[in-house]
Amino acid sequence: MNYLLLLVFSLFIHSSSATINFDYFMLAETWPPSFCQTKTCISAIPSKFSIHGLWPQNNSLPHPTQCKTTKKLVETMLKPLKPRIANVWPSLTGNNFGLWNHEWTVHGTCSTMAAFDYFKLTLDLYAKSNIKDLLQKKNITPGKGPINRKDIEDAIKVATGGLAPQLSCDQNSGNLLEVRLCFDTSTNPKYKNCSTNTNCPLNNVYLPL
């Protein structure tokens, strides 16, 4: 009996140690014209924000990465989602599956989700808001600048219920590289405040064509 209890306890400890805990999701969306000024893009440059990835995050460092490297991604897993993924989650450097596999290996394996569910959730969260449209409604359009960082944040808050996004900019040009939106970990994730840490200047942000 004591041996059986010890075995059950050992299995419980092993199972618990394998559980990945994180505090929230961060959806990173890239502005392709900015990205393609820093990298060599070999495909057509989209004129809308595209998905970079959905990242499980902790409130404090370190953030979880590469949690279950044995959970390999196979392209056929994504077949039902393929048209949606290719449209909004392209690799600007030319290897779509390479990008998706990287995001799954580094971040998706920390989500505690199956691959199909992780990618579907990413697509669904992306579809909740159109960042380019939100900016245009506030007269923030590509090619126009310089832009005040707070104006960008306030335009996006219209969709998030006043909750703050996180912005990332190229340090040399001031170009807006990414907008990051944060969500809680509920079964139907809701917007939450992102960390206000940003490398974007206050007054000289650009959204290139």
Side-chain angles (χ1 to χ4, degrees), residues 26-29 55 164-168 178-182 194:
M26 175 178 280
L27 176 66
E29 300 186 31
W55 307 334
Q166 184 184 95
L167 307 182
S168 176
E178 287 194 344
V179 172
R180 297 164 183 169
L181 304 174
C182 295
C194 288

Side-chain angles (χ1 to χ4, degrees), residues 127-142:
K128 286 171 68 72
S129 60
N130 185 317
I131 292 174
K132 184 180 178 182
D133 282 356
L134 292 171
L135 296 180
Q136 288 182 329
K137 287 177 181 178
K138 295 299 182 178
N139 201 31
I140 300 171
T141 57

